[in-house]
């Protein structure tokens, strides 16, 4: 095995690579080597209201899936990553008939990767839980189901 910090370790989730990040004048130790990249990609999705290249969504999903066996390593970062993605879905739900179903599908796949790696109980804590969202979300789900049925 290569020594800790070797470039070969950067591709393996959580194997000996420790990064330090400045957080409120304290050092945060993290084993998620790609945390800055994921944060940047999610920021791009949020700023562009999801209208970015499909590769951006795929890259986030790929990084998250690397941590399947060590999902707890993602926990310190989940709030910063999931809330913006949930906000994109929320905005699409409130868009009604103008919702971009391709965007909904892409964001949902990324959120599904989070739920697969960390479990839905952990991920759902970062979703909005407001009553005013129920009706638009149900309408979005119905539209999604109709779109999937039409495509089949």
């Amino acid at each position: 095995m290569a020594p800790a910090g070797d470039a070969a370790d950067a591709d393996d989730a959580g194997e000996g690579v420790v990064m330090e990040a400045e957080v409120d004048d304290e050092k945060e130790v993290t084993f998620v080597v790609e945390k800055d990249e994921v944060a940047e990609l999610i920021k791009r999705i949020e700023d562009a209201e999801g209208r970015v290249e499909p590769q951006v969504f795929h890259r986030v999903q790929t990084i998250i899936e690397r941590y399947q066996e060590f999902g707890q390593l993602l926990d310190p970062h989940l709030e910063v990553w999931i809330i913006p993605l949930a906000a994109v879905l929320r905005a699409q739900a409130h868009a009604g008939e103008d919702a971009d179903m391709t965007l909904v599908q892409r964001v949902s796949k990324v959120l599904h990767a989070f739920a697969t790696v960390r479990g839905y109980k952990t991920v759902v804590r970062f979703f909005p839980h407001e009553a005013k969202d129920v009706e638009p979300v149900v309408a979005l789900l119905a539209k999604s189901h109709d779109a999937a049925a039409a495509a089949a």
Side-chain angles (χ1 to χ4, degrees):
M1 178 177 220
D6 190 348
D9 287 343
D11 291 336
D12 296 328
E15 289 191 17
V17 179
V18 178
M19 292 183 59
E20 295 180 359
E22 292 292 330
V23 178
D24 297 328
D25 298 331
E26 295 180 13
K27 297 248 183 206
E28 173 191 4
V29 177
T30 181
F31 290 94
V32 181
V33 177
E34 308 92 341
K35 78 176 191 69
D36 293 330
E37 180 183 0
V38 172
E40 179 186 325
L41 293 171
I42 290 176
K43 182 76 172 145
R44 283 179 55 194
I45 293 168
E46 180 183 28
D47 290 347
E49 296 177 354
R51 287 157 183 79
V52 294
E53 307 82 33
Q55 296 84 354
V56 172
F57 296 97
H58 182 71
R59 178 70 180 143
V60 174
Q61 189 175 351
T62 302
I63 292 170
I64 299 309
E65 289 170 351
R66 285 184 186 167
Y67 291 87
Q68 181 68 43
E69 293 184 30
F70 302 103
Q72 66 275 13
L73 297 175
L74 300 174
D75 286 357
H77 314 289
L78 290 179
E79 183 175 2
V80 174
W81 294 344
I82 293 174
I83 289 176
L85 294 172
V88 170
L89 279 185
R90 185 181 196 189
Q92 291 301 309
H94 286 278
E97 290 299 317
D98 296 332
D100 180 353
M101 296 313 292
T102 303
L103 172 59
V104 169
Q105 181 184 26
R106 290 177 181 159
V107 172
S108 295
K109 284 182 179 180
V110 173
L111 290 171
H112 182 264
F114 280 111
T116 300
V117 172
R118 277 310 291 136
Y120 79 91
K121 288 182 181 180
T122 302
V123 172
V124 76
R125 292 183 313 176
F126 303 109
F127 277 58
H129 292 83
E130 297 179 24
K132 69 180 183 179
D133 294 329
V134 173
E135 191 174 330
V137 168
V138 170
L140 184 65
L141 288 171
K143 183 177 178 182
S144 174
H145 178 22
D146 294 343

